[in-house]
Amino acid sequence: MGEAPKPAAVPPGLEADAGVTIHAIAAEIFPLCRSITGDGVRETLRRLGLHIPLDVVEVESGSPACDWTVPDEWTIRAAYIENAAGERIVDFRANPLHVMSYSVAVDEVMPLDALKRHVFTLPEQPDLIPYRTSYYAPCWGFCMAHRQLEALPDGPYRAVIDADLTPGRLTYGECYLPGDTPEEVLLSAHICHPGMANDNCSGLALLTYLAKQLTGEKKRYSYRFLFAPGTIGALTWLARNEEAVSRIRHGLVLSCVGDGGGPYYKRSRRGNAPIDHAMDHVLRLNSGAPEIVDFVPYGYDERQFCSPGFNLPVGLFQRSRYASFPEYHTSADTMDFITPEHLAESHALVREALFVIENDRLYRNLFPKGEPQLGRRGLYDALGGDPKAAEKNLAMLWVLNLSDGAHSLLDIAERAKMPFATILATARLLERHKLIAPVLA
Amino acid sequence: MGEAPKPAAVPPGLEADAGVTIHAIAAEIFPLCRSITGDGVRETLRRLGLHIPLDVVEVESGSPACDWTVPDEWTIRAAYIENAAGERIVDFRANPLHVMSYSVAVDEVMPLDALKRHVFTLPEQPDLIPYRTSYYAPCWGFCMAHRQLEALPDGPYRAVIDADLTPGRLTYGECYLPGDTPEEVLLSAHICHPGMANDNCSGLALLTYLAKQLTGEKKRYSYRFLFAPGTIGALTWLARNEEAVSRIRHGLVLSCVGDGGGPYYKRSRRGNAPIDHAMDHVLRLNSGAPEIVDFVPYGYDERQFCSPGFNLPVGLFQRSRYASFPEYHTSADTMDFITPEHLAESHALVREALFVIENDRLYRNLFPKGEPQLGRRGLYDALGGDPKAAEKNLAMLWVLNLSDGAHSLLDIAERAKMPFATILATARLLERHKLIAPVLA
Amino acid sequence: MGEAPKPAAVPPGLEADAGVTIHAIAAEIFPLCRSITGDGVRETLRRLGLHIPLDVVEVESGSPACDWTVPDEWTIRAAYIENAAGERIVDFRANPLHVMSYSVAVDEVMPLDALKRHVFTLPEQPDLIPYRTSYYAPCWGFCMAHRQLEALPDGPYRAVIDADLTPGRLTYGECYLPGDTPEEVLLSAHICHPGMANDNCSGLALLTYLAKQLTGEKKRYSYRFLFAPGTIGALTWLARNEEAVSRIRHGLVLSCVGDGGGPYYKRSRRGNAPIDHAMDHVLRLNSGAPEIVDFVPYGYDERQFCSPGFNLPVGLFQRSRYASFPEYHTSADTMDFITPEHLAESHALVREALFVIENDRLYRNLFPKGEPQLGRRGLYDALGGDPKAAEKNLAMLWVLNLSDGAHSLLDIAERAKMPFATILATARLLERHKLIAPVLA
């Protein structure tokens, strides 16, 4: 059913290569010491920018960001603990989780007891390093495995953090891909978590891959990919882009898309936005028991996009839900925890939802009085011998019956309990035969 | 509660005689070789017309019918296969299913192999003759039992079909019964299936019996009974009767109403038309587990009545759903497959739904502030000693409480979880005591 | 979170003392021979009036009451049956249930057979005295235990009822407590049942206690407590108070609130009035499986308040539903059948529902674009170390997200699946920090 100048009539389905490439992009940025500001973010954006055209935006400390203010920039050069023998027992170069994000500078020798007041561990997961931040309260800290801490002799220890917290800039990246209309689809992943693969390299890598793919494709909507630090980055972008915000018609926040859980979708605050219906349709079609929940005001940057003053049609897509898996926010969230297979699956689900959004529209039956005679137009013949003929005939009857200017193709697919792609292919066929025509917006 | 000049306050319930008579009418028309045009339809209408006043309409081939055109008329005089000994191994006079409907003429001698290309059987139901048509592709064919075909020696065989397919007329019948208002109830059954009892003699016979009954009764609505060939007949009628169409307030398509399955009701495309509520109420009241489903654009002529340009409030009533029983569209759909008992049940269900439609209306409580004093008016006494007094009192309270001009009697029955007839009798009683009054439309 | 000039931010919860006091008030009025008119009602109101300021209203016989008329007043001075030996075998001074309410005077000697035509018993509960009335048909009768009746010798017996049924007055009591606004909450219990504890002393006593409590409290709404005879009392009040009726925003009818069943709530006719949501929220929060049902036009005076001409937002609260427990309308409905514990529970549930009604309102987020920075305002610190910090944070996010002028605090509580009190406390905290502001009505 290939109609050359039009976009594909069927969603691309699983692309095994996609999983491998997304995994490789994630691996590239995995070890970097990202935070809400600083060179870790800049280096991450530089590497993503090798794949896609990326506008890197720098916003000065002190700039307003809705009710917030862009904080000072954190520069981290070194962070380690030395024992009496001068051996570094932890070093942030080995794992960026070892230093609490936004730690202030320190260089002090102290006994174990004093050191412990600055060390965070997970007693119930004694081999894992936790992830800790202190963005808005100036202090310093280290994170390490509880078992390692327990085994430490009394000391003394030298704690060194060579860091600045001074006026600088917050950095985020945007990739804008123009489509046929200025109406936008927003796709967003946070870029502030250091050294964790599922949360958040997986989302950054998947969106980077997707942006590259979409660059070469004809698109109805314009697409904006946003890679910004969680909360403060989204707020900064929202505050500076009210006009772009007004053009957003659909959106997704992505995080933790590489593990074997889920899929999970949290609806937008509106609850019945087209993206909510599209994700619902695609997830139910492709997986046995997706978890699909109403909006709750906790999670990722959908919190900001769905605040009442914006109330954007933006949902959250994940595999395992945040805070629901043991590797979450620990050093166990490694590149081994995410797999090319699951990344490919996640990619295919998002891609298919976007396919629905791109292709959903209203049609009007041009012969609404009775059924038009399909046989005369070869529309039964066209399908003859096809083992799926009955389903295709039924799809034609559904599209003809509900193309009344009030039911979109997705509405029809849901009502007919058929895949959107089947309904779309049917609508294209009927349109070609001048039986239905799109309703102009 | 007999109020002479008014129609009955209770639905008639099961009428055993009805089943016997309907069965007899069906038996009379069963053997005829109906198709979408031709003398089989004319003879069927002639016989039905012995029971009721029937307008027989003839529409010329080539006439427009919505997007369709009235086809040439098919005249079948003979159809048989002879073996080498001159014995007729199948003959359409024995069973009209033996000839594929709309077969073109043939008189050829051929070996078994060549014959087989024109013979349809049901390998999985080897003793049954299938039902086949080819209305719009000129060809010829025979239908027979698979077991018979398998047993045939090599031949040669002479295939004879003496038929014309030439400009003529499409024939349908209408019985219009005027009521108090010009607003119409449409009751329709297709008249194009040869030699099958459940599909479609049962529906034709039930509607004929019902039309005869209604002729002698006072009616709020005018009734139109339509006996037309499937699809093309309905389209022809719709195209020629736009004004009558605009007066249709309720409607039912009937088919397969004589077997022991179901009952089954498919809602109109609107989904919440009064006929949908009435059928739902009546079916739930009278049978344990009716199957009631939303509209799907596949089935009988509700497909045409519920096309988006008409969108009429017409549902489909059946016992076993089409294509769901093994006898469907085979020679096993005989007069033995339908019984007077099931026909009487189907008749009673349809009759009760029409009773609801006829009697449903809005009332207004004339003493809406507080409950009116029923005892003073003898309305408690009136019911004294009655073992159903508590239910009758409760019915009065429901009617009084919900007669606010917004809830119809059927709404009240549904809300009170009481039979419509109870609520109607209660409303009549309260109206007689000037406690409620009908809201004028 | 004590803010002196404001009403409490948390509902009072279970008050054990309340149960004891309510039980004592009920005990005081239990033995009186109430009916729809007469000195039994007056004496009941006198005793309730010792606890609260009560307006006692007397309405003359013959006065209109919606569709009804205030009946003659019934004065009962004596009612007994004497045997041949002059022994009183039943005497209404021992139990007011012995005399059928509204019995006319009699003083006759008769054999047992004749007496029996005037004696009501419960053959299936042979030790209990039934409760019988004959308000609108002049006759006389006695009620006694079936076992006692069965054991009686042949007689003769003297039946004496010294009673008048003459023009007089119907009596009801009102306690009006003004609040900040003239909008009213109506709380009502019937006052016409003699010698039964659950139905109806429990409701009268609970409302009396509650009225006393509310007298000393700051209230947003004005409260009207109504103690009126069932049906005719409510109708009389409604007919004479159309202006007060127009100010009713919420209401509850109470009855049978002292036994161990339920809780049970019957929604107002509107079905989604704020009181319906509040009772639903409170009952689900506090008890495992409350029975919450849609309005039916049978029960207590909600029948009148919810008649279509008034359609007030008034529900019915009970423990065991009327007519559902064996003690109902018998001499087994004693003071032992109701307990301080269950009365305290019922009181707490009603009080908490009123707490919701009093405190529910709309707020508007003053920083609706993105989340406001809570940390900067000490709102995270304020909760530090609190084991419920996560829930409190989430409550803040819910209130901020849904304070859009369209969701009330109760809506937010229901959406967040959190107790109303948590959401209210959160809203107060956020209001104090000028993050949200009440929407003026």
Side-chain angles (χ1 to χ4, degrees):
Chain A
M1 221 160 289
E3 298 179 279
K6 286 212 177 179
V10 290
L14 209 60
E15 301 166 56
D17 285 358
V20 173
T21 308
I22 295 167
H23 198 266
I25 298 173
E28 232 183 311
I29 59 174
F30 170 70
L32 299 172
C33 184
R34 283 169 292 275
S35 183
I36 54 172
T37 59
D39 287 337
V41 175
R42 286 191 192 91
E43 177 61 14
T44 302
L45 289 170
R46 190 189 66 77
R47 296 194 192 184
L48 300 182
L50 300 176
H51 300 273
I52 53 174
L54 204 57
D55 287 335
V56 175
V57 180
E58 302 267 1
V59 182
E60 287 193 21
S61 300
S63 302
C66 297
D67 181 58
W68 301 52
T69 303
V70 172
D72 283 349
E73 180 175 337
W74 186 54
T75 303
I76 178 77
R77 284 174 296 266
Y80 55 86
I81 302 174
E82 274 182 5
N83 63 12
E87 296 159 345
R88 295 195 175 180
I89 58 169
V90 302
D91 188 333
F92 102 116
R93 295 199 187 279
N95 191 323
L97 293 175
H98 278 312
V99 63
M100 181 170 76
S101 205
Y102 262 64
S103 282
V104 296
V106 67
D107 186 349
E108 269 182 53
V109 176
M110 62 191 80
L112 181 60
D113 275 0
L115 179 68
K116 275 185 170 176
R117 287 198 293 274
H118 293 271
V119 173
F120 300 95
T121 66
L122 296 167
E124 299 188 359
Q125 295 174 296
D127 295 317
L128 305 184
I129 310 166
Y131 165 50
R132 283 293 178 112
T133 71
S134 180
Y135 299 140
Y136 298 100
C139 55
W140 61 269
F142 287 89
C143 298
M144 70 172 73
H146 192 67
R147 221 181 283 284
Q148 183 185 15
L149 180 65
E150 294 286 282
L152 287 185
D154 279 351
Y157 293 96
R158 182 179 169 210
V160 175
I161 296 179
D162 179 10
D164 291 333
L165 187 52
T166 52
R169 286 185 292 277
L170 175 146
T171 315
Y172 64 79
E174 268 183 292
C175 171
Y176 178 77
L177 305 176
D180 292 346
T181 70
E183 302 193 325
E184 291 192 17
V185 176
L186 176 70
L187 297 164
S188 165
H190 60 294
I191 195 170
C192 52
H193 285 33
M196 287 180 292
N198 202 32
D199 179 9
N200 62 225
C201 297
S202 68
L204 293 168
L206 191 156
L207 288 188
T208 299
Y209 182 86
L210 186 62
K212 188 168 184 182
Q213 266 190 319
L214 290 183
T215 305
E217 295 181 5
K218 179 169 170 59
K219 292 171 293 291
R220 170 183 177 186
Y221 289 106
S222 298
Y223 284 75
R224 187 177 302 272
F225 292 81
L226 182 61
F227 306 108
T231 306
I232 185 63
L235 290 166
T236 301
W237 183 82
L238 283 163
R240 296 163 57 95
N241 290 278
E242 293 236 347
E243 198 187 314
V245 165
S246 74
R247 289 194 299 264
I248 294 172
R249 294 294 170 270
H250 316 283
L252 286 175
V253 170
L254 262 69
S255 178
C256 304
V257 293
D259 69 291
Y264 167 93
Y265 179 68
K266 181 169 81 175
R267 296 187 186 98
S268 76
R269 184 179 184 273
R270 301 182 184 187
N272 65 351
I275 188 68
D276 299 325
H277 290 289
M279 287 299 292
D280 190 284
H281 182 79
V282 168
L283 264 56
R284 287 184 201 281
L285 200 65
N286 289 284
S287 58
E291 189 184 359
I292 300 176
V293 302
D294 275 332
F295 181 75
V296 293
Y298 189 76
Y300 292 96
D301 282 334
E302 72 280 2
R303 292 163 61 162
Q304 311 309 326
F305 300 132
C306 295
S307 57
F310 294 113
N311 198 25
L312 296 175
V314 174
L316 168 66
F317 173 65
Q318 303 199 275
R319 302 296 303 239
S320 287
R321 184 172 53 79
Y322 56 86
S324 72
F325 50 97
E327 296 83 358
Y328 179 74
H329 278 195
T330 74
S331 55
D333 184 357
T334 63
M335 286 306 298
D336 288 340
F337 181 55
I338 66 176
T339 69
E341 289 71 25
H342 295 134
L343 289 164
E345 271 178 30
S346 297
H347 167 264
L349 291 170
V350 171
R351 191 112 160 88
E352 189 168 339
L354 295 179
F355 175 82
V356 171
I357 289 293
E358 279 280 316
N359 289 287
D360 192 27
R361 66 189 64 204
L362 295 172
Y363 281 89
R364 191 173 292 281
N365 182 338
L366 299 175
F367 298 85
K369 295 194 168 182
E371 291 169 8
Q373 193 176 11
L374 299 174
R376 192 179 80 212
R377 294 170 174 88
L379 286 171
Y380 272 46
D381 280 0
L383 302 165
D386 188 331
K388 292 196 168 178
E391 195 202 350
K392 288 190 178 177
N393 286 345
L394 190 53
M396 283 193 284
L397 295 179
W398 273 115
V399 173
L400 288 166
N401 192 273
L402 291 180
S403 285
D404 54 6
H407 295 84
S408 80
L409 295 184
L410 179 55
D411 295 334
I412 298 173
E414 291 281 292
R415 182 78 176 71
K417 298 187 180 69
M418 290 184 177
F420 177 83
T422 302
I423 295 298
L424 174 63
T426 304
R428 295 251 173 98
L429 180 67
L430 295 173
E431 184 182 3
R432 217 151 56 214
H433 284 272
K434 304 197 188 314
L435 288 169
I436 64 173
V439 173
L440 299 180
Chain B
M1 222 161 289
E3 298 179 281
K6 287 209 176 178
V10 290
L14 208 61
E15 300 165 57
D17 284 358
V20 173
T21 309
I22 295 167
H23 197 265
I25 298 173
E28 233 182 309
I29 58 174
F30 171 71
L32 299 172
C33 184
R34 283 169 292 276
S35 183
I36 55 173
T37 59
D39 287 336
V41 175
R42 285 190 193 92
E43 176 61 14
T44 302
L45 289 171
R46 190 189 65 77
R47 298 196 191 185
L48 300 182
L50 300 177
H51 300 274
I52 53 173
L54 204 57
D55 288 337
V56 175
V57 181
E58 301 268 2
V59 182
E60 287 193 21
S61 299
S63 301
C66 298
D67 181 57
W68 301 52
T69 302
V70 173
D72 283 349
E73 180 175 335
W74 185 55
T75 302
I76 178 78
R77 284 175 295 266
Y80 55 85
I81 303 173
E82 274 182 5
N83 63 13
E87 296 159 345
R88 294 194 177 181
I89 59 169
V90 301
D91 188 333
F92 101 116
R93 293 198 190 279
N95 191 324
L97 293 174
H98 277 312
V99 64
M100 182 170 75
S101 206
Y102 263 64
S103 282
V104 296
V106 67
D107 186 349
E108 269 181 51
V109 177
M110 63 193 78
L112 182 60
D113 276 2
L115 179 69
K116 276 186 170 174
R117 288 198 293 274
H118 293 273
V119 173
F120 300 94
T121 65
L122 296 167
E124 300 187 0
Q125 295 173 297
D127 295 317
L128 305 184
I129 311 166
Y131 166 51
R132 283 294 179 110
T133 71
S134 179
Y135 299 138
Y136 299 100
C139 54
W140 62 269
F142 287 89
C143 299
M144 68 172 74
H146 193 66
R147 222 182 282 282
Q148 184 185 13
L149 181 65
E150 294 286 282
L152 287 185
D154 279 351
Y157 293 96
R158 181 179 170 210
V160 175
I161 296 178
D162 178 10
D164 291 333
L165 187 52
T166 52
R169 286 187 290 277
L170 174 146
T171 315
Y172 64 80
E174 268 183 291
C175 171
Y176 177 77
L177 305 177
D180 293 344
T181 69
E183 303 194 323
E184 292 192 17
V185 176
L186 176 70
L187 297 165
S188 166
H190 59 295
I191 194 170
C192 51
H193 285 33
M196 288 180 290
N198 202 33
D199 180 8
N200 61 223
C201 297
S202 67
L204 293 168
L206 192 157
L207 288 188
T208 298
Y209 181 85
L210 186 62
K212 188 170 185 182
Q213 265 189 321
L214 291 183
T215 304
E217 295 181 5
K218 180 169 170 59
K219 294 172 291 294
R220 170 182 176 188
Y221 289 106
S222 299
Y223 284 74
R224 188 178 301 271
F225 293 80
L226 183 60
F227 306 108
T231 305
I232 185 63
L235 291 165
T236 301
W237 182 83
L238 284 164
R240 297 163 56 93
N241 291 277
E242 293 236 348
E243 198 186 316
V245 166
S246 74
R247 290 194 298 264
I248 293 172
R249 295 295 170 270
H250 317 282
L252 285 176
V253 171
L254 261 69
S255 178
C256 303
V257 293
D259 68 292
Y264 167 92
Y265 180 68
K266 180 170 83 175
R267 296 188 185 96
S268 75
R269 183 180 185 271
R270 300 182 185 186
N272 65 349
I275 189 67
D276 299 325
H277 289 290
M279 286 299 293
D280 189 285
H281 182 77
V282 168
L283 265 56
R284 286 182 203 282
L285 201 63
N286 290 285
S287 58
E291 188 185 358
I292 300 176
V293 303
D294 275 332
F295 180 77
V296 294
Y298 189 75
Y300 292 95
D301 282 334
E302 72 280 1
R303 291 162 62 162
Q304 311 308 328
F305 301 132
C306 295
S307 58
F310 294 112
N311 199 25
L312 296 175
V314 174
L316 168 66
F317 173 65
Q318 303 199 275
R319 303 295 303 240
S320 286
R321 184 171 54 77
Y322 55 85
S324 72
F325 51 97
E327 295 83 357
Y328 180 75
H329 278 193
T330 75
S331 55
D333 185 357
T334 63
M335 286 306 298
D336 289 340
F337 181 53
I338 65 176
T339 70
E341 289 71 26
H342 296 135
L343 289 165
E345 271 178 28
S346 297
H347 167 264
L349 291 170
V350 171
R351 190 113 161 88
E352 188 167 339
L354 295 179
F355 175 83
V356 171
I357 289 293
E358 279 281 315
N359 289 287
D360 192 27
R361 65 189 64 205
L362 294 172
Y363 281 89
R364 190 174 293 282
N365 183 338
L366 300 175
F367 298 84
K369 295 194 168 181
E371 292 170 6
Q373 193 176 10
L374 298 175
R376 192 178 79 214
R377 295 170 173 90
L379 287 170
Y380 272 48
D381 280 359
L383 302 164
D386 188 332
K388 292 195 166 178
E391 196 201 350
K392 288 190 176 175
N393 287 345
L394 191 53
M396 283 193 284
L397 296 179
W398 273 115
V399 172
L400 288 166
N401 191 274
L402 292 180
S403 285
D404 54 5
H407 296 84
S408 80
L409 295 183
L410 180 55
D411 294 335
I412 298 174
E414 291 281 290
R415 182 79 176 71
K417 299 186 179 70
M418 289 183 177
F420 177 82
T422 302
I423 294 299
L424 174 63
T426 303
R428 295 250 174 99
L429 180 67
L430 295 173
E431 183 182 4
R432 217 153 53 217
H433 284 273
K434 304 199 187 315
L435 287 169
I436 64 173
V439 174
L440 299 180
Chain C
M1 223 161 287
E3 299 178 280
K6 287 212 177 178
V10 290
L14 208 62
E15 299 164 57
D17 284 359
V20 173
T21 306
I22 294 167
H23 197 265
I25 298 172
E28 232 182 310
I29 59 174
F30 171 70
L32 298 173
C33 185
R34 283 169 292 275
S35 183
I36 54 173
T37 59
D39 286 337
V41 175
R42 286 191 191 92
E43 177 61 14
T44 302
L45 289 170
R46 191 190 66 78
R47 296 195 192 184
L48 300 182
L50 300 176
H51 300 274
I52 52 173
L54 203 58
D55 287 335
V56 176
V57 180
E58 301 269 0
V59 183
E60 287 193 21
S61 299
S63 302
C66 298
D67 182 57
W68 301 52
T69 303
V70 172
D72 283 349
E73 180 174 338
W74 184 56
T75 303
I76 178 78
R77 284 175 296 267
Y80 54 87
I81 303 172
E82 273 182 5
N83 62 15
E87 295 159 347
R88 297 194 174 181
I89 59 170
V90 302
D91 188 334
F92 101 117
R93 295 200 187 281
N95 192 324
L97 293 175
H98 278 313
V99 64
M100 182 170 74
S101 207
Y102 262 63
S103 283
V104 296
V106 68
D107 187 346
E108 270 182 53
V109 176
M110 63 193 77
L112 181 59
D113 276 3
L115 179 68
K116 274 186 170 175
R117 288 198 293 273
H118 293 272
V119 172
F120 301 94
T121 66
L122 297 166
E124 299 187 359
Q125 295 173 297
D127 295 317
L128 305 185
I129 311 166
Y131 166 51
R132 284 294 178 110
T133 72
S134 180
Y135 299 139
Y136 299 99
C139 55
W140 62 269
F142 287 90
C143 298
M144 69 172 73
H146 193 67
R147 220 182 283 284
Q148 184 184 11
L149 181 64
E150 293 286 283
L152 287 186
D154 278 351
Y157 294 95
R158 181 178 171 213
V160 176
I161 295 179
D162 178 10
D164 292 333
L165 187 52
T166 52
R169 288 186 288 278
L170 175 147
T171 316
Y172 64 79
E174 270 183 291
C175 171
Y176 178 78
L177 305 178
D180 293 346
T181 70
E183 303 193 324
E184 291 192 18
V185 177
L186 176 70
L187 297 164
S188 166
H190 59 294
I191 194 169
C192 52
H193 284 34
M196 288 179 291
N198 202 32
D199 180 9
N200 61 226
C201 297
S202 68
L204 293 168
L206 192 157
L207 288 188
T208 300
Y209 182 86
L210 187 62
K212 188 169 183 181
Q213 266 190 320
L214 291 183
T215 305
E217 295 182 4
K218 179 169 172 56
K219 294 171 292 294
R220 171 183 176 187
Y221 289 107
S222 299
Y223 284 75
R224 189 177 301 271
F225 292 80
L226 183 61
F227 306 108
T231 306
I232 185 63
L235 291 165
T236 302
W237 183 81
L238 284 163
R240 297 163 55 93
N241 291 279
E242 292 236 348
E243 197 187 316
V245 166
S246 74
R247 290 194 298 263
I248 294 172
R249 295 294 170 270
H250 317 283
L252 286 175
V253 171
L254 261 70
S255 178
C256 303
V257 293
D259 70 290
Y264 168 92
Y265 179 69
K266 181 169 82 174
R267 295 187 186 98
S268 75
R269 183 179 185 272
R270 301 182 183 186
N272 66 350
I275 188 68
D276 299 325
H277 289 290
M279 287 298 293
D280 189 285
H281 182 78
V282 167
L283 264 57
R284 287 184 201 282
L285 200 65
N286 289 285
S287 58
E291 188 184 358
I292 300 175
V293 302
D294 275 332
F295 180 77
V296 294
Y298 189 76
Y300 292 96
D301 282 334
E302 71 281 1
R303 292 163 60 162
Q304 311 309 328
F305 301 132
C306 296
S307 58
F310 293 113
N311 198 24
L312 296 176
V314 174
L316 167 66
F317 173 65
Q318 302 200 275
R319 302 298 301 242
S320 287
R321 185 173 50 78
Y322 55 87
S324 72
F325 51 97
E327 296 83 356
Y328 180 73
H329 278 194
T330 75
S331 56
D333 184 357
T334 63
M335 287 305 299
D336 288 341
F337 181 54
I338 64 175
T339 69
E341 289 71 26
H342 297 134
L343 289 164
E345 272 178 29
S346 297
H347 168 265
L349 292 170
V350 171
R351 192 115 161 87
E352 188 166 339
L354 296 179
F355 175 83
V356 171
I357 289 293
E358 279 280 316
N359 289 288
D360 192 27
R361 65 189 65 204
L362 294 171
Y363 281 88
R364 191 173 292 282
N365 182 338
L366 301 174
F367 297 85
K369 296 195 166 181
E371 291 168 7
Q373 193 175 12
L374 298 174
R376 193 179 80 213
R377 294 169 173 90
L379 286 171
Y380 271 47
D381 280 359
L383 302 164
D386 188 332
K388 293 194 167 178
E391 195 200 352
K392 288 189 176 176
N393 286 345
L394 190 53
M396 283 193 283
L397 295 178
W398 273 115
V399 173
L400 289 166
N401 192 274
L402 291 180
S403 285
D404 53 6
H407 295 83
S408 79
L409 295 184
L410 180 55
D411 294 334
I412 298 173
E414 291 282 291
R415 182 78 175 70
K417 299 186 180 69
M418 289 184 178
F420 178 82
T422 302
I423 294 299
L424 174 64
T426 304
R428 295 251 172 98
L429 179 68
L430 295 173
E431 183 182 3
R432 219 153 52 217
H433 283 273
K434 303 197 189 314
L435 287 169
I436 65 175
V439 174
L440 299 181

